[in-house]
Amino acid sequence: MDSYKIHRIAVIQSDFTEKFGVPRQSSLVTELFSKIIFDKKYRTPNAIRELDNFSHIWLLWLFSESIDSYRWSPTIRPPRLGGNKRIGVFASRSPFRPNHIGLSSVRLEGIDEDPNYGPILTVSGADLVNGTPIIDIKPYIPYSDCHPNAIAGYAQEAPNRVLTVYIPPELKSLLGIQRTEGLRKALALDPRPQYQKSSQKVYGMSFAGYNIKFQITDDKLSVTDFSPAHGNM
């Protein structure tokens, strides 16, 4: 078993180039659209035959930004509990796990055939950083995957704190309607660490090629500044 190898099958293209600001679970912001680009070996249409008959899919992926920097720990401090209480790693979705594998349920918005990259999947609601390695894709099957009466411990309810977000008209114009709404919904979930709630601090995140600065006072988040990231427009 130690010699078993997991192969990357694809990468995701998303508007997030760093972890900060990414929704903490999939499907929280369905206005965020991403593309899945298959590696050359897996670019055959046969590999996704009949996939377009499913509305949602499971993505299995690697927490690639955590693998080299952190070792796994038997206990972690989930943000949902304020970052203070420790629970078992297998009772969490923390990236700091023995095998650094993530799982996301996303909506399959469409499949396009590209002359250079083969089939490209467009999905919405992903919680992945741009360039994240995808190691498997499976169809979401409602009769077995959905459990309406399931008990979810400390995460039984969706986050109930939603911020009012102000985005300058100039940035809205640059991002367009769809990306602006995705950014607004992501910011409304309050991307700050649970233990950082300063109204004086200016926070920054990267989104759709822009470095975005914002501050939060009470329940209002205001984008205070933005600039192209790495010279991108």
Side-chain angles (χ1 to χ4, degrees):
M1 189 66 183
D2 289 341
S3 62
Y4 186 80
K5 293 183 179 180
I6 293 179
H7 301 279
R8 188 185 81 172
I9 65 165
V11 295
I12 196 163
Q13 290 183 351
S14 80
D15 285 324
F16 293 98
T17 57
E18 58 187 21
K19 292 184 291 183
F20 185 74
V22 178
R24 294 187 174 100
Q25 298 292 341
S26 59
S27 297
L28 288 180
V29 184
T30 56
E31 291 79 6
L32 293 172
F33 282 65
S34 307
K35 293 186 181 297
I36 296 173
I37 312 296
F38 286 97
D39 286 7
K40 188 173 182 180
K41 182 178 179 180
Y42 305 101
R43 288 176 184 168
T44 169
N46 286 331
I48 59 166
R49 187 186 300 175
E50 301 294 330
L51 187 63
D52 56 353
N53 291 324
F54 293 87
S55 65
H56 292 74
I57 57 177
W58 290 105
L59 302 179
L60 281 80
W61 47 279
L62 296 177
F63 288 102
S64 53
E65 294 197 1
S66 302
I67 291 176
D68 295 331
S69 302
Y70 298 92
R71 294 183 178 179
W72 86 280
S73 170
T75 62
I76 58 94
R77 296 181 293 180
R80 191 65 178 271
L81 295 177
N84 296 314
K85 182 179 178 179
R86 284 194 171 273
I87 66 171
V89 66
F90 299 129
S92 80
R93 297 195 179 189
S94 167
F96 311 128
R97 1 183 26 89
N99 289 309
H100 300 278
I101 295 175
L103 175 69
S104 297
S105 172
V106 298
R107 182 176 181 85
L108 179 60
E109 298 287 348
I111 302 175
D112 298 300
E113 184 70 26
D114 184 273
N116 297 316
Y117 296 101
I120 295 178
L121 311 185
T122 299
V123 300
S124 61
D127 53 341
L128 282 69
V129 173
N130 184 59
T132 295
I134 307 294
I135 58 174
D136 205 358
I137 296 171
K138 299 178 186 292
Y140 178 95
I141 302 175
Y143 78 82
S144 63
D145 293 347
C146 181
H147 305 280
N149 298 318
I151 297 173
Y154 60 87
Q156 185 67 31
E157 302 293 336
N160 56 15
R161 184 170 188 259
V162 178
L163 303 176
T164 299
V165 177
Y166 168 75
I167 299 175
E170 299 84 0
L171 182 56
K172 290 182 180 180
S173 178
L174 290 168
L175 293 178
I177 296 175
Q178 178 184 301
R179 280 195 167 103
T180 295
E181 189 62 10
L183 174 63
R184 186 184 71 81
K185 290 287 187 68
L187 291 175
L189 295 174
D190 193 349
R192 297 176 298 177
Q194 294 296 313
Y195 50 86
Q196 291 184 11
K197 296 297 182 183
S198 172
S199 61
Q200 304 301 316
K201 183 176 175 62
V202 176
Y203 296 86
M205 62 181 281
S206 177
F207 180 82
Y210 291 90
N211 292 318
I212 296 171
K213 307 286 188 180
F214 62 89
Q215 284 183 284
I216 300 176
T217 303
D218 298 325
D219 289 330
K220 182 177 181 179
L221 183 152
S222 297
V223 174
T224 57
D225 193 20
F226 60 91
S227 60
H230 307 299
N232 291 334
M233 294 297 293

